[in-house]
Amino acid sequence: GGQVGEGQGGGGGSPRFVPTAAWLAAVKNELPLATLLRLVQHLVPQIDELVRRGGGQVDDSSIIKFLVNTTMVGLLPVPHPIVIRKYTPNRYTGLWFSAFLWGVVFLNNQSMPLFDGTTIKLFTVTVAPPSS
């Protein structure tokens, strides 16, 4: 990994991280750069051609205009479809929802003396004896 070296500058002398070539290679392998690299490989030749046609004198606004008018359809990967799942109720989600809802009601009514906070129990803990 990276190395920890002495801090530069003012007091404290706290250790400072210094990246190494091996650390950088490991981090680069973990980054999801495939889509960006594909995009850059596609756009660089087109921008080079734009610069060549402009005689080497192209300003930022013309490059941005070119990028705005360039389509990436078919170049970039298709996003995953959105999966819609229906809620199927069960005892545990019903218990959770009920406890959550009563908790919200209780907390939203703290300014009025609607509830006595010392007598409300949102849940109980039952300790069962070990089975033999």
Side-chain angles (χ1 to χ4, degrees):
Q3 297 176 346
V4 177
E6 286 298 318
Q8 304 263 335
S14 62
R16 201 178 96 193
F17 176 76
V18 179
T20 62
W23 173 84
L24 182 60
V27 169
K28 280 173 64 175
N29 287 336
E30 294 176 12
L31 293 176
L33 297 175
T35 302
L36 288 175
L37 291 174
R38 184 183 304 167
L39 183 63
V40 168
Q41 288 172 352
H42 177 74
L43 288 175
V44 165
Q46 294 182 17
I47 292 176
D48 285 344
E49 175 63 22
L50 179 71
V51 171
R52 188 187 61 74
R53 278 188 278 144
Q57 299 295 322
V58 179
D59 61 344
D60 294 345
S61 63
S62 44
I63 291 178
I64 290 174
K65 183 179 175 184
F66 169 77
L67 291 174
V68 166
N69 295 323
T70 302
T71 181
M72 300 298 146
V73 175
L75 176 67
L76 300 177
V78 178
H80 297 290
I82 297 174
V83 179
I84 298 174
R85 296 189 177 123
K86 291 191 174 210
Y87 169 70
T88 50
N90 64 44
R91 186 176 132 216
Y92 300 107
T93 56
L95 268 166
W96 177 87
F97 184 70
S98 178
F100 174 76
L101 189 61
W102 279 112
V104 169
V105 168
F106 176 74
L107 291 174
N108 284 333
N109 290 293
Q110 288 298 302
S111 58
M112 288 186 348
L114 184 62
F115 296 112
D116 179 10
T118 59
T119 59
I120 293 178
K121 294 180 181 157
L122 296 178
F123 59 90
T124 59
V125 176
T126 305
V127 179
S131 60
S132 47

